[in-house]
Amino acid sequence: MPPAIATNLPAKILSELLPSSPFLQRRGSLFRVLSILPKDGVGSKVTQARWEHKGIPNSYWEITRVRLRNEGKNGKAWGRLIWKGRPIHEQDTMIPRGLKYTWKEFGAEDFTKQA
């Protein structure tokens, strides 16, 4: 193989494989994101992707309890909302709109933009 083809081959293979891997795409419905995290996301922090686009810093949910159904496609999740760095709820609250918006792990890099 010529050297130019050999150096482009791994990049092409990676660009085709990485976007299809669910473990590298940590974006989607709340339940999809939680289903690929350890312990179904209990103890992790998740945020809506749109909050970042709207310029709302340090806003996320701390996940305290999860009940996934249908192989992580839907379910229920509870947690504490941290809004602009301040806790909103002292008690666990059911997280609304888990299927409606795009969610991601708080502070995690977005691998889909790199591929």
Side-chain angles (χ1 to χ4, degrees):
M1 239 188 257
I5 294 174
T7 57
N8 290 336
L9 188 60
K12 182 175 179 157
I13 291 171
L14 285 176
S15 69
E16 289 177 8
L17 293 177
L18 289 180
S20 63
S21 174
F23 297 104
L24 294 177
Q25 284 189 358
R26 293 184 177 230
R27 295 177 67 105
S29 74
L30 173 63
F31 310 111
R32 181 179 178 274
V33 171
L34 294 176
S35 70
I36 62 174
L37 294 174
K39 299 180 189 174
D40 288 337
V42 173
S44 64
K45 299 174 183 178
V46 294
T47 185
Q48 290 183 13
R50 68 190 185 117
W51 293 348
E52 189 175 281
H53 295 291
K54 290 183 174 187
I56 303 171
N58 299 323
S59 299
Y60 56 89
W61 283 89
E62 292 179 345
I63 305 299
T64 57
R65 188 168 57 132
V66 176
R67 187 180 313 147
L68 297 175
R69 289 186 298 230
N70 198 13
E71 297 178 7
K73 292 180 183 174
N74 55 31
K76 293 181 181 181
W78 292 263
R80 294 185 195 94
L81 176 60
I82 308 298
W83 188 256
K84 297 183 180 178
R86 296 181 183 201
I88 300 297
H89 303 289
E90 290 295 321
Q91 303 176 1
D92 291 355
T93 305
M94 192 162 91
I95 301 173
R97 297 176 291 283
L99 293 171
K100 186 170 182 178
Y101 297 112
T102 301
W103 293 77
K104 67 178 191 171
E105 190 176 8
F106 182 74
E109 288 189 38
D110 189 0
F111 290 101
T112 59
K113 290 182 181 178
Q114 293 178 357

